Every structure is written in C-alpha cells, then in structure tokens.
Amino acid sequence: MGIEIKICGLKTASTLEAALEAGADLVGFVHFPKSPRHLALADLPALAAQVRHRALTVALTVDADDAALAAVIAALDPDILQLHGRESPQRVAAIRAAFGRPVMKALPVARRSDLAAVPAFAAVADRLLFDAKPAPDDLLPGGNGRPFDWTLLAGLDASCPVMLSGGLDADNVAQALAVARVDGVDVSSGVEDAPGVKSPDKIRAFIAAARSAAAMKAAPPSTAFS
C-alpha cells in the first residue's frame, strides 16, 4: 500500500485545486484564529463542495469546545477531525463518541520521551500525526516549518496509521519517508511562499517527490545478470 499525502492549511479554490489535481489524498482546513491559515466558517462550505469525492477533508482545530466543533462540522462536513492542541486521551475519546467522526490526534515530538503518550492516544484515535514540538516562543502548535529527529519514529508500532509532519518539503520528504517509515506525510509551510500563502508549484513538487519516494520504496529489488 502506498503512502497517504495530506496538504494542510489550504485557503483558496486555486491552491485547493492544485492539490486535488496533483493527487493529494487528504486536504486540511484550519479553523484556529491565531493561525495565518485560519478559515472562517463561512469559507468552508464552498471548499468542501470542491473536494467532494476527490479526497478526504480534514478539519483542524486546536483545543476547541463542543460548540466550536459542531459549528465546523456543520460548515465543512469533514471526513476527519484533526485535534492539534493539548487534548487529553479522554477528550479525544469524548469528541470521537460525541461527533461520530474519525479523529486524528497530533502529538508534538522533540525527544524519545514524548512518545510515551502514544499508547494512550492510539487507543482512542483513528490516526496519529507526529509534528515537531513548538519552541517556547512559537505562537502556533504546528505549522512552524521545523523538523524533528525522524529516527525517533523508526520501528515505532503505534497500532494505528501514523503520519509525519513538521518541516517537510519537496527536498526532504524522500529522506523523511526512508527514515521514519510512516503511513503518510502532512505538509503546510513547506509548500508556501509566505505564511498562509500556498504555492501551486510547491504543492505539485511535494506530491510528486513523495509519490516517487514511495514508489521506489515499494519497488522490488532489481536482479543483475552477468
């Protein structure tokens, strides 16, 4: 099975179309006012209609309460809820039960000890997303354009699908996949010209690089004849 590719933080119909045409498996929309990728509720229905039956839609929120989640779901009708805040395993389980949607939980990683929480979250989430832990002065919980040590994920058995995020771009995604051996990759700042401004060319380049890397990994070894 090939990897899944998620383009996150899309804001416009044109960049969304670039992601869809290039073959993104998942497209993410951010509803978090502090983010340069934030979308108002009124912006979501048109984008959702553009995606329908072409990819999975992901709604990214940060420590949202039930009312805020209900509003996002009503506007976007997402296939997956991405929780990118400090939600506990108990909160993740409650959200999944209350809204009946698959949940992807983002976990910040800087050192091996950060992976201690994996079993608790894997037991209640449908997917896990490993992202670089924010620096103390970062304003955002993700999308800061920095990678972490991918070797921390090598050999990790999370018992559910896992994706890698944090500082990925077209130049390093092949190396990231080779090292981390995850089920998918998620990019936001790595396909932007400026914070919140996606580049169609960078989106296409990232997806092509990730697909090429996955194909090389899946290809059987060649046999040389003398």
Side-chain angles (χ1 to χ4, degrees):
M1 179 180 176
I3 62 155
E4 290 188 311
I5 300 173
K6 176 171 173 277
I7 308 296
C8 196
L10 293 156
K11 294 179 65 176
T12 67
S14 60
T15 54
L16 173 57
E17 192 61 29
L20 294 170
E21 289 184 352
D25 301 293
L26 303 93
V27 288
F29 304 104
V30 176
H31 185 69
F32 180 55
K34 292 182 180 180
S35 172
R37 304 164 187 101
H38 169 69
L39 288 167
L41 293 175
D43 297 323
L44 295 175
L47 295 172
Q50 186 177 344
V51 178
R52 194 160 294 122
H53 306 308
R54 302 173 69 187
L56 296 178
T57 55
V58 181
L60 187 159
T61 61
V62 178
D63 297 317
D65 60 21
D66 284 0
L69 288 168
V72 170
I73 290 171
L76 184 63
D77 190 22
D79 296 296
I80 299 170
L81 297 174
Q82 180 176 334
L83 308 179
H84 216 103
R86 298 174 180 266
E87 299 90 356
S88 67
Q90 294 75 20
R91 177 61 177 153
V92 172
I95 288 171
R96 193 175 185 276
F99 296 103
R101 307 276 170 141
V103 170
M104 178 190 304
K105 179 67 182 87
L107 298 179
V109 179
R111 57 188 61 85
R112 189 166 300 277
S113 59
D114 293 323
L115 300 178
V118 167
F121 282 104
V124 294
D126 298 275
R127 300 166 179 249
L128 296 179
L129 171 68
F130 295 105
D131 196 1
K133 179 175 283 189
D137 58 345
D138 284 335
L139 299 178
L140 302 176
N144 294 304
R146 286 192 301 273
F148 62 93
D149 181 0
W150 301 320
T151 64
L152 294 174
L153 301 184
L156 177 70
D157 182 8
S159 74
C160 70
V162 299
M163 301 190 85
L164 174 65
S165 186
L168 297 178
D169 57 31
D171 293 329
N172 66 15
V173 66
Q175 180 187 4
L177 285 168
V179 172
R181 300 182 181 276
V182 288
D183 302 298
V185 287
D186 179 0
V187 66
S188 185
S189 60
V191 291
E192 291 180 342
D193 289 329
V197 182
K198 291 289 187 289
S199 162
D201 287 341
K202 290 180 180 179
I203 289 171
R204 287 188 283 264
F206 180 86
I207 293 175
R211 291 281 182 232
S212 177
M216 290 181 63
K217 178 181 174 183
S222 60
T223 302
F225 295 92
S226 57

